[in-house]
Amino acid sequence: MENNKILYRGAEAEICYCHYNGNPAVQKRRVKKRYRIKEIDKKLISLRTKEEAKLIADSRRQGVSVPIIYDVDLKEGIITMEYLNGDRIKDILNNLSENKRNKICNMIGESIAKLHNGNIIHGDITTSNMILCNDGIHFIDFGLGEKNGETEAQGVDLHVLMEAINSTHSKYSDCFKYVIDGYSKKLKKDASQVLKKIDEIVKRGRYR
Amino acid sequence: MKCIGIEGTAHTIAAGIVEDKSSKCQVLSNIIKIYRPKQGGIHPREAANHHATYVAEIIKESFLKAGIDSSEIDLVAFSKGPGLGPCLRTAATAARALSLSIEKPIIGVNHCVAHLEIGIGTLDNCTDPVLLYTSGANTQVIAFAEGKYRVFGETLDIGIGNCIDKFGRSVGLEFPCGPKIEKLAEMGSKYIELPYSIKGMDIAFSGLLTASEQFFKNGERLENICYSIQETTFAALTEVTERAMAHTEKDEVLLGGGVASNARLREMVETMACDRGARCFVPQKDLCIDNGAMIAWLGLIMYKSGLRMEIKDSHIDQRFRTDMVEVNWRGK
């Protein structure tokens, strides 16, 4: 692959392929937005880059697989990190055998529990943001994450995944049950509080 | 086919008549009357009293303006929700009375979906947009996905219009505060840092409102606060809209609701669309704010798709969610 090839273009950032000290790497570049004034643009880009790099490093400390960070440029809003040569869970989950699928979901749940044990909220847990690589599930894109140990935030975090599974993997919506199994096993506090929160969040939707 | 629509979800009581011409919407008349409280915010009962006083007059005027007789109408549509109960009931009651007296079918429609469909119906080349719907009570990003109109992002607390009105009232401006704050903002030049609160694709405004009121109390120039409120909230709105566009892979954005009249918001969304190679659409002003023509148009396309409603089922629903609407007038 060529350097600077854009692998993905999101609303907020571009992911480019590159090399770092000879290793294959990616750069997440937050894009300047012309629609907002400079003061807001600068603040958001530098704040979010910093927060994301911190959360990725914290997650590794909790034993969750994440890309290794090589470099952070706060002024330009660039994080350079390890290139993961694997498959997005979103693309493979529907084609796996039932056994393997359930096992993967279990592992996803365990990883989320480890994040939550470290008061880390990912903020956008969808199957697009997980990469299966070397038999481990790597979490990427912490751009919407935060440090927060509240049951409420943990419930919201899991609720996002539930909605994602229901819409993207609707045939296999029992997947979420296996996620919860893994989650309950690894979470240090009583998972039933978090599960109760999820029910609450579902009922709380505006006009519902 | 000709349809009359009666709108009454909040401040506005309105009646509009539309006709379909080769599946596009022709607006024959669109009469709008807005309740303006002398002080404070909207009182649902007083707004409903206002609507009850004027609804008959407005319906008559809509026929007059369209140059047609009530016998030429094929369908009566009304705003079923979401909105304030007393206001919704007043409009629905008027719709039932009209439907019975001219002996034409009735149909209740979702107000938020109507804002989107009127854009598609009246604007050339607008076919499958992401709608940024910003009004007093509602702030939603809506798009069609997997057979339904889905909400991809919305306010977690108050609507953007409500946020602006509340701030305006706290500094002594009169309802509607939006246009006044827009003028003041043009004279502001210094950006004051205000809370920018986005969670995923959802937004919150109440923290920003409190902070803005605090800055005013501490003697900050009103023009600068207005400028900062607009820059912060509109940037957040534009950001969630862009996220929804990236997520749904759509390249059209449509504005709707009263706040879409704000030139700065339009400018920001247009810039965002332009930078992503997408197109931005804004309906003409009387079709952007709450109006009867959009209710009529949605009623018409729903009826043509085969949907029917009996008078006994023509009740209102204050909490009528966008994603509760069964959409069978569009393909997958």
Side-chain angles (χ1 to χ4, degrees), chain B residues 146-157:
Chain B
E146 289 174 51
K148 276 190 175 177
Y149 282 113
R150 295 179 194 273
V151 178
F152 285 91
E154 66 188 314
T155 175
L156 295 168
D157 44 39

Side-chain angles (χ1 to χ4, degrees), chain A residues 107-120:
Chain A
M107 284 161 69
I108 293 172
E110 289 181 6
S111 294
I112 299 173
K114 287 184 201 162
L115 291 176
H116 288 182
N117 285 339
N119 295 340
I120 299 165

